[in-house]
Amino acid sequence: MLPSAGPGKKRGATPAAASSQALQPQFTRNPSANALPPSTVIRSRFRSIAERPPTLIGARGSKRYMLDDSPSAATDRAPWSLSLETPIRASSAHTSAVPLVDTLMRPQRLFPTLSPLSDAKTSLLASAKNSDRSPARSILDSAHKESENIGRLESLKRAAEKAKFELRQVELARERDREEAQRAHQRLESELLAQTKRVEKLERDRKWLFEQEERLAEQRRAVERDLSAQRSAYESRIDEMAAANRELEQQLDDASHAMRRLKSDHLDQIDDMQIRLSRAERIATQLQASEKSDALRSRGDFSDTSSLQYTIDSLKREVQSKDQDIDELKHRLKSTMPSGENCSGAADAAVIPSRERIAQLERDLHEQCDYIKAVEQQNHQLRSETRRLAEAASLYEKEHEISCSLQAKVERLEKQQTGYADMEARLTALHQEREQWTRVFHDSDSDNSDTNPQGQNLCSPFAVAKTVATQRHTIKLLEGKLQSMQESEAATMQQQQKATNDVQSYKQKCLRLESQLSAEKTKTFQLEASKQHAVREAEFLRAQLHSYDREEASFMPGNYDEQKADRIKQLEEFIDEQRAWIVSLESSTGDIRPISADGAETVSTSLLQGYREDAEAKQHELDSLHEEHWRLQERFDKLEKETARLEHQVGSGLGYNPKTTRILQLIDNPSAQDFAIRSEKLKSLAAENEALLERIRQLERSNPAQSLSLQDASQEDAVAGDASSPYFHTIDNLRTENQELAHQLEASVKLINRYKKAWKRKVSELREVIYAILGYRVDFLVNGSVRFTSTYAADLDQSFVFTSGDDDQGVMQLSGGGSKAYLKGLSNDIRYWVQERGSIPGFMATITLQSFEAQLDQKAQ
Amino acid sequence: MSVQAQLTKGKITLRGSARIVTEFFMYGINSILFQRGIYPIEDFEVKKKYGLDIWVSSDVSVKKYLSKIMESVEEWLAASKINKLVLAVNSRETRETLERWQFDIQLVDEEEKEGEKPKPPKSEKALQLEIQAIFRQIAASVSFLPIIEEKCTFNILVYADSDAEVPTTWTDSDPLHIKNAEQVRLRSFSTDAHRVEAMVAYRRDPDLC
């Protein structure tokens, strides 16, 4: 109900209401006409003039749907306006956890419209109904509508202004966001620059470390060189000592041989001497016995053998004295009596043999004594030599022990060196691992103090394992959180996207409203113009009517209808009254319209405010989520890097816990077998080398004149069956090499067999392909020629044999065939194709075609 | 019970899964030995498996060695005492490890939460497709792995739990790690009881650094 139709002013309370109700009861059915005064039933001559607005309305009927958008229409639709989303409701809905999407999606319900089609239909119906109205009524309606339109336009203008303002605000917010993004971009660039600097610094550090590593490697190499030099020196010294040892052994052997030989010689000599001594003693005893018998004969009484020597001496003295006496006597005899010669001769003959024997015995004895002395001296010398050799042997033993100990020491040193190198490598790896773990723990401590709030000491493996487990758990939790954050971020992004879409739709709506506003403005101007025109025309017509009335009153007094003039006057007054009523109505609606427009504006403003607040809150939430996402992303990247590093460690074989995991391998594995074979081979080669060197040394030591030739030596070795002979090593090595060569030969045989199989397969494929495509069976004959038999040949002997040309350059020549008769039958073709044109393929194709046709003929027959 | 029976019957048991994984190891190791040229091509023959032509060694010693290993590995798999199997390719000259093919073995968690439906058993086709993908990757890895120009041999390491029962034919070993390594993770496959993830680590070419 219109506001003008208040309680004190009922519909139809105007002066002409009763008559209009009586005259036009059908208009009461029109709801829009309920508010019209009853004077609309008047039919006058203004119909022709007033019929224009309906056409105008009809022409612009499509715009009429805006009627329903008017605030008055909104007030008319009280039931559904209850469901209108006021900002307060929207905010309450928002606070009561109603999704923003719902609230965002509803603004179009602020100005709900009926469909243009239905509006057009209703406008057409209205125009059709209004076509029966009076022109004044139409004018009034149009004026009323115009005023409504103007009010609506104003409200739309304000709404558009508001929307523009909102749009501006949104643009400013977007500008701020853009600036924020630009600042963030600059910040990121600065961070990137810092990161780049850091990377450069790290690169420099890496280079420095690399140089350090190179320097250390150089030092290590120098140390290795020194060690190898020391090792070689030790080895050479060991070799020298071994050689000296061997020389000493040889000398000892020679000396022992010589000593044994001398000893045996001396023993033989001693035995000989003893034999001779015993013989001499026997002789001496015989002589003593004879002397004793002589003495017994001369003195008669010598029982004591111990005084034999004394007796001998005394006898000697007596013999000498007797000899002297004899000599004196001889001289006396010679001088005194010549007859005394016979007597002295007899005495001399009795004494001389005993003297000669004694002298002989004395000489023998003297010689024996000298010989015994010489033997004793020699024995003494040999004893001293033996003592010296024994000392040398003990010295050699000592040297040997020293050399053994030195060798063991060198081996131990080598082992220690390898162990040291291994330990160093392991230590380096452990240092690296420790640094990495320390870094990890430090990072994790600094980053996640909540994960290790007690500040656990990570010195024990259990604590480390526990921390690792905790870190893994934390990583999993963080990953889950990150996933949820990513999901929420995706949802927020969707919401933001939706909000952006809403802003876009609002913008479009605003544009549409602006275009509608401009259209309404144009329409308003047109309506204003038409109204002014209609008013002027009405004034003009009224003046014209008055002039007619005056003319009629003055010139045709009989025809002048007083009642009619009164009626017209009355009507004019009624029109004035209606105008006044319309003005009052407009004023009253003008009071209401701002209220409704303000209400709409308030609604839209508060709604937009609510949306803005929501958007800001969402933006804040989005920013915080972005920040959280950034932080989590960084954490995630760090953990990813750590995971990649640990994976790398695991992949390269380092990352495992030796307490819980054992790395097992089969004892008899290919690698170990290969290594064992190589070691064995190396050992045997080394032994062979050593034996050969020893042989060379022996040959060099020995006198070339007395040394045996190599042939003799090998023969000797073969005869002696010495297993340590270098030739046995060589033979063993050659056997091993022979086995390897046999293996290689087996592999070659396998390879050749595989090639043969492949060759056979390919050849058969080739033959099949030629047979299938070219129609000839190819047989490679032993003498290098090739036989071609056509698929369509009637007999097997209908074949051609091709051989290579004289130069054997791959040029084939037709050399014969399976059957001479067959070839003779083809002599024309051979001459034509092969001899004249030199085309074997052409000839073969011709033969194929001929054979094919012949086969077809045979089948047909 | 054959693998086929295990697969068609329903969900794969731990023993059946161990057999499947062991079979995969057998063929995988053979394929790696062929693709990496550890043994000459004459020592291999083609076998049809997993819908693919797989080259398998015909060398008696290699077959014997692998069967010995797989016998123990299957036992350990069935007892869930193994977590890694590594094929290390070593240089014969320097004994340095050049490549390291690692297969991580994880026991699939069988715990079922309340209210959740039990997982349906994995179909044979799905399993075969997963294994096929790994074999294809092994074959394709020749394109990015460095060319082995020296004579090489191989060794197989097993990362077993410390409380696992170890036959006397086995001994402890070092991990044969690679210095200056790069690694590429390959695809994985899983049965209802085990999950096997493959990875290859190789020595970075010093000339490229």
Side-chain angles (χ1 to χ4, degrees):
Chain A
M1 192 171 286
L2 289 170
S4 59
K9 204 172 183 181
K10 287 176 76 175
R11 186 182 64 185
T14 50
S19 58
S20 67
Q21 277 177 347
L23 288 169
Q24 293 289 337
Q26 69 272 17
F27 280 108
T28 55
R29 274 180 263 144
N30 187 359
S32 62
N34 288 342
L36 294 176
S39 59
T40 52
V41 298
I42 296 169
R43 300 171 189 270
S44 68
R45 56 180 176 165
F46 297 117
R47 183 181 293 174
S48 59
I49 301 164
E51 278 176 351
R52 286 178 195 166
T55 55
L56 184 68
I57 292 164
R60 290 166 186 150
S62 61
K63 299 286 183 184
R64 282 197 168 195
Y65 65 90
M66 287 301 292
L67 266 172
D68 297 325
D69 291 338
S70 66
S72 60
T75 52
D76 282 340
R77 293 187 209 101
W80 64 261
S81 67
L82 291 173
S83 62
L84 184 70
E85 289 291 341
T86 62
I88 296 163
R89 190 176 294 169
S91 60
S92 67
H94 175 63
T95 51
S96 60
V98 174
L100 181 65
V101 180
D102 295 338
T103 56
L104 285 170
M105 292 301 286
R106 288 188 184 175
Q108 68 268 24
R109 294 178 68 187
L110 262 178
F111 306 106
T113 58
L114 295 174
S115 68
L117 280 172
S118 63
D119 284 342
K121 209 183 282 177
T122 50
S123 65
L124 282 171
L125 282 171
S127 64
K129 285 174 184 172
N130 288 336
S131 63
D132 295 337
R133 293 178 193 169
S134 65
R137 183 71 254 169
S138 302
I139 290 166
L140 284 173
D141 286 341
S142 63
H144 179 65
K145 283 170 187 170
E146 280 168 10
S147 61
E148 281 179 356
N149 284 332
I150 288 164
R152 212 161 50 235
L153 280 170
E154 284 173 358
S155 66
L156 285 170
K157 271 184 194 173
R158 281 193 289 276
E161 288 294 324
K162 206 71 174 171
K164 274 185 184 174
F165 176 73
E166 290 294 327
L167 187 63
R168 180 69 186 153
Q169 289 292 323
V170 169
E171 281 176 355
L172 284 170
R174 289 191 64 187
E175 194 65 31
R176 278 200 300 276
D177 290 340
R178 201 176 292 125
E179 286 173 0
E180 188 67 30
Q182 210 164 358
R183 278 200 294 279
H185 180 67
Q186 286 173 355
R187 191 176 70 245
L188 284 171
E189 277 184 349
S190 63
E191 283 178 2
L192 183 66
L193 198 65
Q195 289 288 337
T196 312
K197 284 178 181 173
R198 195 179 166 198
V199 166
E200 284 174 359
K201 185 175 174 299
L202 287 170
E203 191 66 29
R204 284 199 298 277
D205 289 348
R206 193 182 69 80
K207 279 181 183 173
W208 183 78
L209 286 170
F210 185 70
E211 286 170 2
Q212 286 287 325
E213 188 185 353
E214 278 188 346
R215 192 170 58 76
L216 287 170
E218 190 63 35
Q219 284 180 0
R220 189 176 58 79
R221 279 195 290 275
V223 168
E224 282 178 353
R225 277 198 299 274
D226 291 341
L227 283 172
S228 60
Q230 282 181 5
R231 189 179 168 186
S232 58
Y234 276 126
E235 281 177 354
S236 61
R237 195 174 164 191
I238 287 162
D239 289 336
E240 285 172 7
M241 292 193 76
N245 194 13
R246 280 191 291 276
E247 282 177 6
L248 284 170
E249 277 181 351
Q250 191 65 31
Q251 283 178 5
L252 182 66
D253 286 335
D254 293 340
S256 59
H257 279 298
M259 190 179 74
R260 279 196 293 274
R261 196 165 53 247
L262 280 172
K263 196 175 178 180
S264 60
D265 290 340
H266 289 165
L267 286 172
D268 292 337
Q269 283 179 2
I270 287 165
D271 291 336
D272 191 18
M273 291 299 291
Q274 280 176 349
I275 292 163
R276 286 174 69 183
L277 184 62
S278 59
R279 198 184 300 146
E281 281 174 355
R282 246 191 339 267
I283 293 166
T285 48
Q286 286 173 1
L287 284 171
Q288 281 174 357
S290 61
E291 280 176 0
K292 196 176 177 181
S293 60
D294 288 339
L296 284 172
R297 272 194 308 268
S298 59
R299 292 176 62 181
D301 191 13
F302 281 100
S303 60
D304 196 0
T305 54
S306 60
S307 60
L308 181 64
Q309 192 63 34
Y310 179 74
T311 310
I312 289 166
D313 290 337
S314 60
L315 282 170
K316 281 177 183 176
R317 280 193 299 269
E318 284 177 2
V319 165
Q320 282 175 358
S321 62
K322 282 180 177 176
D323 285 338
Q324 286 172 359
D325 291 336
I326 289 164
D327 287 336
E328 283 174 4
L329 287 169
K330 276 180 180 176
H331 285 293
R332 271 183 216 167
L333 283 172
K334 279 177 182 176
S335 59
T336 57
M337 51 198 275
S339 60
E341 286 180 7
N342 295 326
C343 295
S344 64
D348 285 335
V351 173
I352 283 166
S354 62
R355 261 197 322 234
E356 282 175 355
R357 284 184 67 187
I358 288 166
Q360 180 69 29
L361 281 171
E362 280 178 349
R363 278 199 301 276
D364 287 343
L365 192 63
H366 192 67
E367 280 175 3
Q368 287 298 324
C369 286
D370 290 341
Y371 187 71
I372 285 164
K373 279 178 185 173
V375 166
E376 279 178 354
Q377 197 174 358
Q378 200 174 4
N379 196 10
H380 184 68
Q381 284 175 357
L382 283 171
R383 271 184 194 165
S384 63
E385 182 73 17
T386 308
R387 204 175 295 117
R388 192 179 60 76
L389 285 172
E391 285 173 358
S394 63
L395 277 173
Y396 164 73
E397 287 293 329
K398 281 178 187 173
E399 289 291 332
H400 185 65
E401 282 177 2
I402 287 165
S403 70
C404 286
S405 66
L406 280 171
Q407 205 165 358
K409 204 170 178 181
V410 167
E411 283 175 1
R412 202 165 56 247
L413 273 172
E414 282 175 0
K415 280 180 186 171
Q416 279 176 355
Q417 250 177 359
T418 52
Y420 173 70
D422 290 342
M423 290 297 287
E424 203 171 24
R426 284 179 63 186
L427 184 67
T428 312
L430 284 169
H431 271 304
Q432 286 175 357
E433 199 173 352
R434 185 182 167 186
E435 282 174 6
Q436 286 162 356
W437 278 111
T438 311
R439 201 163 51 244
V440 168
F441 294 141
H442 180 68
D443 290 348
S444 62
D445 285 343
S446 59
D447 289 343
N448 288 330
S449 58
D450 53 345
T451 57
N452 194 7
Q454 289 86 15
Q456 291 169 353
N457 191 10
L458 296 173
C459 56
S460 69
F462 175 73
V464 171
K466 192 178 174 183
T467 312
V468 168
T470 315
Q471 288 292 326
R472 279 182 186 160
H473 181 65
T474 312
I475 288 163
K476 278 189 182 172
L477 284 175
L478 284 170
E479 281 175 355
K481 201 172 173 184
L482 177 67
Q483 200 172 357
S484 63
M485 291 301 286
Q486 280 175 342
E487 286 170 0
S488 64
E489 190 208 349
T492 314
M493 288 297 284
Q494 282 180 353
Q495 284 182 1
Q496 190 190 10
Q497 188 68 29
K498 207 173 282 176
T500 313
N501 291 337
D502 285 344
V503 168
Q504 290 291 334
S505 66
Y506 286 149
K507 273 185 187 175
Q508 287 174 359
K509 198 171 180 180
C510 186
L511 287 171
R512 200 167 62 242
L513 283 171
E514 279 179 352
S515 63
Q516 283 177 3
L517 179 66
S518 61
E520 288 293 334
K521 268 184 187 175
T522 316
K523 192 179 172 185
T524 310
F525 283 132
Q526 285 174 354
L527 284 170
E528 190 70 29
S530 65
K531 181 187 172 188
Q532 285 173 2
H533 178 70
V535 167
R536 278 198 302 273
E537 200 171 359
E539 289 293 329
F540 171 70
L541 286 170
R542 193 176 287 175
Q544 203 176 9
L545 196 64
H546 281 301
S547 69
Y548 285 156
D549 285 344
R550 279 196 298 274
E551 278 179 7
E552 202 172 351
S554 60
F555 296 113
M556 291 186 291
N559 289 337
Y560 183 68
D561 193 353
E562 193 72 28
Q563 285 183 348
K564 190 178 174 183
D566 290 341
R567 182 63 182 158
I568 290 166
K569 200 173 181 180
Q570 194 184 351
L571 282 172
E572 285 176 351
E573 285 171 1
F574 176 70
I575 288 166
D576 291 337
E577 190 186 339
Q578 287 296 318
R579 276 183 180 167
W581 181 74
I582 287 165
V583 169
S584 66
L585 202 67
E586 281 180 350
S587 63
S588 62
T589 53
D591 293 338
I592 293 164
R593 210 177 284 137
I595 294 166
S596 59
D598 286 346
E601 282 171 15
T602 312
V603 166
S604 66
T605 309
S606 55
L607 191 63
L608 285 169
Q609 185 67 27
Y611 288 158
R612 200 185 305 133
E613 284 173 359
D614 276 348
E616 283 175 358
K618 290 288 175 192
Q619 189 63 36
H620 281 303
E621 196 179 349
L622 187 65
D623 288 342
S624 63
L625 284 171
H626 268 302
E627 197 174 343
E628 181 74 11
H629 176 250
W630 176 254
R631 199 166 57 76
L632 286 170
Q633 191 68 37
E634 279 185 349
R635 177 78 183 149
F636 182 71
D637 289 343
K638 205 179 281 180
L639 290 171
E640 280 282 316
K641 281 180 188 170
E642 184 61 23
T643 310
R645 194 185 62 76
L646 289 171
E647 269 192 5
H648 185 266
Q649 220 173 24
V650 170
S652 61
L654 285 172
Y656 76 100
N657 188 1
K659 285 187 179 174
T660 58
T661 308
R662 288 179 70 185
I663 303 176
L664 301 169
Q665 65 174 353
L666 212 59
I667 294 168
D668 189 18
N669 61 69
S671 185
Q673 284 172 3
D674 185 67
F675 182 67
I677 290 165
R678 287 175 68 84
S679 303
E680 189 65 31
K681 192 174 172 184
L682 197 66
K683 271 183 189 173
S684 63
L685 283 172
E688 181 190 352
N689 191 27
E690 184 64 31
L692 286 170
L693 285 170
E694 180 61 28
R695 190 74 189 166
I696 288 164
R697 276 196 290 270
Q698 280 181 7
L699 287 171
E700 281 174 354
R701 273 200 304 271
S702 61
N703 191 359
Q706 293 176 356
S707 67
L708 296 168
S709 66
L710 280 171
Q711 185 71 28
D712 297 337
S714 64
Q715 283 173 359
E716 277 185 1
D717 287 332
V719 169
D722 189 4
S724 63
S725 170
Y727 305 108
F728 283 100
H729 290 297
T730 309
I731 288 162
D732 288 341
N733 292 332
L734 285 172
R735 274 181 191 151
T736 314
E737 202 172 339
N738 192 25
Q739 282 175 357
E740 284 178 3
L741 287 171
H743 284 304
Q744 283 183 8
L745 191 66
E746 281 178 10
S748 301
V749 169
K750 274 187 197 173
L751 185 70
I752 288 163
N753 285 335
R754 193 171 65 82
Y755 285 160
K756 274 182 182 173
K757 280 179 188 172
W759 174 256
K760 276 183 185 173
R761 199 169 58 246
K762 289 292 167 191
V763 164
S764 66
E765 277 178 17
L766 178 70
R767 288 183 67 201
E768 283 171 9
V769 164
I770 291 170
Y771 185 72
I773 294 172
L774 300 177
Y776 280 96
R777 180 180 289 110
V778 182
D779 297 313
F780 296 95
L781 302 178
V782 182
N783 57 357
S785 54
V786 187
R787 184 171 60 216
F788 281 77
T789 312
S790 176
T791 313
Y792 307 112
D795 202 354
L796 282 174
D797 60 353
Q798 293 180 358
S799 60
F800 307 101
V801 176
F802 292 92
T803 52
S804 185
D806 297 332
D807 302 331
D808 202 11
Q809 292 176 343
V811 181
M812 300 300 283
Q813 292 176 347
L814 182 62
S815 61
S819 166
K820 283 184 181 178
Y822 179 63
L823 285 177
K824 204 170 182 180
L826 298 172
S827 57
N828 287 331
D829 290 325
I830 290 168
R831 184 170 47 77
Y832 181 77
W833 286 106
V834 181
Q835 293 173 357
E836 292 180 3
R837 283 168 175 72
S839 172
I840 291 173
F843 169 69
M844 300 296 278
T846 307
I847 298 302
T848 305
L849 285 172
Q850 286 176 3
S851 303
F852 182 66
E853 284 172 0
Q855 200 178 39
L856 281 180
D857 289 342
Q858 273 185 352
K859 281 181 182 173
Q861 284 172 4
Chain B
M1 192 183 293
S2 69
V3 175
Q4 184 67 32
Q6 285 284 350
L7 286 170
T8 51
K9 192 177 173 182
K11 210 158 186 175
I12 301 169
T13 60
L14 188 63
R15 174 65 68 174
S17 173
R19 193 158 295 173
I20 290 168
V21 173
T22 309
E23 202 173 36
F24 164 75
F25 284 153
M26 188 76 167
Y27 282 98
I29 289 165
N30 271 298
S31 185
I32 291 165
L33 293 178
F34 171 75
Q35 296 291 347
R36 302 306 295 146
I38 309 298
Y39 291 98
I41 192 171
E42 296 80 34
D43 288 354
F44 290 88
E45 58 191 10
V46 178
K47 273 193 180 176
K48 202 88 176 169
K49 187 73 185 173
Y50 306 120
L52 295 169
D53 286 338
I54 297 175
W55 290 81
V56 179
S57 176
S58 56
D59 190 285
V60 180
S61 59
V62 175
K63 280 162 85 175
K64 197 174 168 186
Y65 171 66
L66 289 179
S67 63
K68 261 188 196 174
I69 285 192
M70 292 310 153
E71 196 178 331
S72 300
V73 165
E74 190 178 342
E75 289 297 322
W76 285 327
L77 276 170
S80 303
K81 295 288 180 191
I82 182 172
N83 51 43
K84 269 187 190 63
L85 186 135
V86 174
L87 166 66
V89 178
N90 306 320
S91 166
R92 282 190 173 180
E93 200 66 36
T94 61
R95 300 200 78 198
E96 190 181 359
T97 307
L98 304 179
E99 281 178 23
R100 209 166 177 282
W101 294 78
Q102 182 171 307
F103 298 96
D104 294 329
I105 304 155
Q106 295 166 9
L107 204 64
V108 175
D109 200 0
E110 285 287 338
E111 288 179 9
E112 290 174 359
K113 291 178 184 173
E114 287 181 2
E116 282 188 7
K117 287 183 180 176
K119 275 189 176 179
K122 195 161 204 168
S123 67
E124 186 189 2
K125 193 177 177 186
L127 184 64
Q128 183 163 319
L129 283 175
E130 285 182 4
I131 293 176
Q132 268 186 6
I134 297 177
F135 275 98
R136 290 205 170 96
Q137 277 198 324
I138 289 170
S141 63
V142 181
S143 60
F144 65 82
L145 287 173
I147 298 165
I148 297 175
E149 290 173 342
E150 50 194 318
K151 285 186 179 178
C152 288
T153 180
F154 77 104
N155 195 3
I156 292 174
L157 308 179
V158 170
Y159 284 58
D161 291 347
S162 54
D163 58 343
E165 287 182 10
V166 181
T168 52
T169 51
W170 290 76
T171 183
D172 287 315
S173 166
D174 62 332
L176 299 179
H177 71 271
I178 303 174
K179 289 173 188 169
N180 200 14
E182 276 187 2
Q183 61 190 30
V184 176
R185 188 165 278 286
L186 304 178
R187 284 174 179 269
S188 61
F189 81 94
S190 60
T191 64
D192 289 331
H194 291 102
R195 178 176 175 77
V196 179
E197 291 179 350
M199 189 172 74
V200 55
Y202 55 95
R203 192 179 59 174
R204 192 184 295 157
D205 192 354
D207 297 336
L208 296 176
C209 293

